[in-house]
């Protein structure tokens, strides 16, 4: 567990991003890349949108239905990747996946995403926590083709 975050702080971050997601909005125009993601073992059924300006992510948002973990995690992820170039976003995705699989990860880079560190202890919730991250990863890979 990140030393700087208590369980209460983690719970507060997750609940705030679930109850008041900043980035759970429809895209502003049709210039966004879109991917649909769903889970077979949860209610998660979301569309994730990313807008690039060259290699920089200038906006990210999502719509749809998600459980507490997927909604909060996707909202935090959007916040983290906006303003990052593709390489920086890939690094964040990689670090989040390392955290989910209980591998060494860069706590400092993940900022509020550290709130999901205990999710790995509930295997079924890993898919929920990573759904938005996997969506962004797919969009970036498609964008690089």
């Amino acid at each position: 567990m990140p030393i700087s975050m208590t369980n209460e702080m983690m719970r507060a971050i997750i609940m705030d991003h679930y109850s008041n997601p900043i980035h759970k909005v429809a895209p502003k125009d049709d210039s966004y890349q879109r991917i649909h993601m769903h889970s077979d073992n949860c209610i998660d059924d979301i569309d994730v949108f990313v807008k690039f300006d060259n290699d920089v992510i200038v906006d990210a948002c999502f719509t749809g239905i998600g459980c507490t973990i997927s909604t909060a995690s996707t909202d935090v992820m959007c916040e983290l990747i906006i303003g990052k170039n593709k390489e920086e976003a890939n690094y964040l995705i990689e670090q989040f996946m390392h955290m989910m699989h209980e591998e060494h990860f860069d706590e400092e880079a993940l900022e509020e995403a550290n709130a999901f560190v205990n999710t790995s202890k509930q295997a079924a919730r890993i898919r929920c926590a990573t759904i938005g991250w996997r969506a962004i990863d797919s969009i970036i890979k498609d964008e690089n083709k």
Side-chain angles (χ1 to χ4, degrees):
M1 171 175 34
I3 295 170
S4 61
M5 229 184 262
T6 66
N7 284 335
E8 292 77 27
M9 290 169 70
M10 288 185 239
R11 200 170 6 265
I13 289 167
I14 292 168
M15 290 311 298
D16 183 47
H17 281 276
Y18 171 68
S19 300
N20 306 299
I22 298 166
H23 301 283
K24 189 175 181 187
V25 296
K28 297 173 182 138
D29 56 51
D30 63 357
S31 63
Y32 289 68
Q33 302 286 331
R34 174 194 167 270
I35 190 167
H36 179 79
M37 301 291 281
H38 75 280
S39 174
D40 293 334
N41 46 335
C42 193
I43 65 167
D44 305 330
D45 190 12
I46 63 173
D47 289 304
V48 178
F49 303 88
V50 180
K51 183 174 184 174
F52 294 97
D53 184 1
N54 294 314
D55 274 358
V56 177
I57 297 169
V58 294
D59 197 15
C61 56
F62 66 104
T63 59
I65 298 169
C67 69
T68 302
I69 297 296
S70 67
T71 299
S73 180
T74 303
D75 197 54
V76 167
M77 183 231 22
C78 289
E79 190 68 28
L80 284 175
I81 66 168
I82 292 172
K84 303 287 191 289
N85 64 37
K86 291 177 189 174
E87 184 178 322
E88 293 166 327
N90 279 329
Y91 180 75
L92 292 172
I93 294 164
E94 180 181 278
Q95 296 311 303
F96 191 80
M97 294 305 177
H98 285 319
M99 181 178 70
M100 288 293 103
H101 297 291
E102 298 181 331
E103 301 167 352
H104 177 74
F105 66 96
D106 184 348
E107 287 179 26
E108 190 173 314
L110 290 181
E111 300 177 22
E112 278 193 328
N114 284 300
F116 299 90
V117 71
N118 292 326
T119 304
S120 62
K121 293 171 181 28
Q122 301 173 22
R125 304 305 280 175
I126 293 172
R127 287 192 60 78
C128 301
T130 60
I131 195 167
W133 297 82
R134 288 182 285 114
I136 293 298
D137 186 47
S138 293
I139 290 172
I140 291 172
K141 284 178 180 166
D142 283 349
E143 181 80 8
N144 287 337
K145 287 183 183 176

